[in-house]
Amino acid sequence: MRFDVITLFPELFGPFLQHGINRRAFACGAVDVRLWPLRDHAEGHYRRVDDRPFGGGPGMVMLAEPLARCWQAVREQRKAEGAPSVPTVLFSPQGVRIDHALVEREAQGAGAILICGRYEGIDQRFIDQCVDVQLSLGDFVLSGGELAAMALLDAVARLQPGVLNDEGSHQQDSFNPALDGLLDCPHYTRPEVWQGPRGAAVVPPVLLSGHHEQIERWRRQQRLAASARLRPDLLQQARQAGRLSADDEHWLRQLDLPDAGGL
Ligand code: ADE
């Protein structure tokens, strides 16, 4: 898959693409990321990329013309290289919130053209004519789309085969439908007793028992408890999809959950 990223700050992506576990996906081209510096497509001595908003008001608005020129250049190169046609994504607080299902779809897709907005916004005419979908990280405002682009690329790259050290490890992820969309369970490693700032803390004994069935049962219960306490909406979705067993419901009734969706 190939992602073409249009950005005013391509240098922000350098360390991200070169370090960490995902660099494997980027280095071998499984996730081919091409950076397109927007300023290269701006005209004039100052290579302007923004201007004041019509109608007045604070801040600057990104010009449609350099964005469209850069976007055309991306599309022409993709076509010349035989890359499949892909949607154009704009990162914006007005977008659809990115979730696990969207990441899984992207991880199996052909890629996208990613537009990182900056400043107070982008000329709406570019959005109307060139953008297929707007995506958001959440209900807060970033100063630009670069972090959101990196978040999506990171989440997509780690799902590529051969990227994580242990192939099974993303099966354990929070939100994974294979685990009924629940939150992940807690994890522990050595030492068995850790002297923390609030005293000695032990590993739950079942994890040291070697009894796989009991460990799996404990993990399921912890996923249910974490979801009930922290994300009752996820628990409710699992229940409505018929994914909770009588055993699950029995365990949930034993928990002290005053506001866990009418349990
Ligand atoms: N750009 C600015 N705010 C954003 C957000 N919340 N998500 C994605 N891109 C953004």
Side-chain angles (χ1 to χ4, degrees):
M1 71 184 60
R2 170 172 162 182
F3 289 93
D4 292 272
V5 185
I6 297 179
T7 169
L8 274 170
F9 299 102
E11 61 278 11
L12 288 179
F13 288 80
F16 165 71
L17 294 172
Q18 284 153 26
H19 299 280
I21 201 124
N22 285 335
R23 77 177 183 284
R24 291 184 202 159
F26 301 132
C28 78
V31 181
D32 180 3
V33 179
R34 315 249 180 131
L35 300 171
W36 294 79
L38 179 61
R39 215 169 279 279
D40 291 357
H41 298 266
E43 283 185 324
H45 188 58
Y46 293 105
R47 294 193 167 271
R48 255 200 119 120
V49 290
D50 62 347
D51 209 332
R52 283 169 298 164
F54 280 127
M60 302 290 268
V61 176
M62 287 176 80
L63 298 166
E65 189 52 29
L67 278 164
R69 254 199 306 269
C70 187
W71 179 76
Q72 273 305 354
V74 171
R75 283 166 45 105
E76 276 159 27
Q77 193 195 78
R78 287 189 71 105
K79 201 168 167 204
E81 294 182 11
S85 77
V86 289
T88 297
V89 172
L90 170 66
F91 294 103
S92 147
Q94 294 171 22
V96 174
R97 202 175 303 180
I98 299 171
D99 64 8
H100 182 80
L102 184 136
V103 168
E104 280 211 323
R105 277 199 306 279
E106 286 298 324
Q108 284 158 24
I113 301 172
L114 306 181
I115 314 253
C116 303
R118 279 264 144 186
Y119 308 120
E120 264 60 39
I122 289 188
D123 191 311
Q124 186 63 34
R125 293 167 296 181
F126 173 78
I127 301 175
D128 293 343
Q129 296 197 14
C130 306
V131 170
D132 299 303
V133 52
Q134 299 193 51
L135 295 180
S136 170
L137 279 192
D139 290 348
F140 55 91
V141 180
L142 295 164
S143 56
E146 283 79 5
L147 283 173
M150 285 187 253
L152 180 67
L153 291 170
D154 182 279
V156 164
R158 68 185 287 285
L159 292 185
Q160 300 307 308
V163 169
L164 298 182
N165 287 323
D166 179 345
E167 271 309 290
S169 76
H170 59 71
Q171 297 300 332
Q172 312 274 327
D173 288 346
S174 292
F175 315 113
N176 192 329
L179 295 174
D180 301 327
L182 300 173
L183 294 182
D184 195 8
C185 59
H187 301 279
Y188 299 86
T189 187
R190 282 183 288 185
E192 284 176 28
V193 181
W194 175 62
Q195 301 296 338
R198 297 186 186 172
V202 299
V203 174
V206 64
L207 296 179
L208 308 173
S209 69
H211 197 299
H212 291 299
E213 229 169 84
Q214 280 175 20
I215 292 171
E216 274 323 302
R217 185 153 188 264
W218 179 86
R219 285 182 170 153
R220 174 79 181 176
Q221 290 177 341
Q222 296 301 311
R223 285 185 196 108
L224 290 163
S227 307
R229 292 201 174 101
L230 303 170
R231 291 291 305 272
D233 57 315
L234 297 178
L235 190 72
Q236 202 52 31
Q237 278 171 29
R239 179 175 287 122
Q240 277 162 5
R243 311 298 301 229
L244 301 190
S245 67
D247 213 31
D248 291 338
E249 296 290 7
H250 179 72
W251 158 253
L252 286 164
R253 277 193 295 276
Q254 289 175 46
L255 299 173
D256 186 19
L257 297 169
D259 52 3
L263 286 169

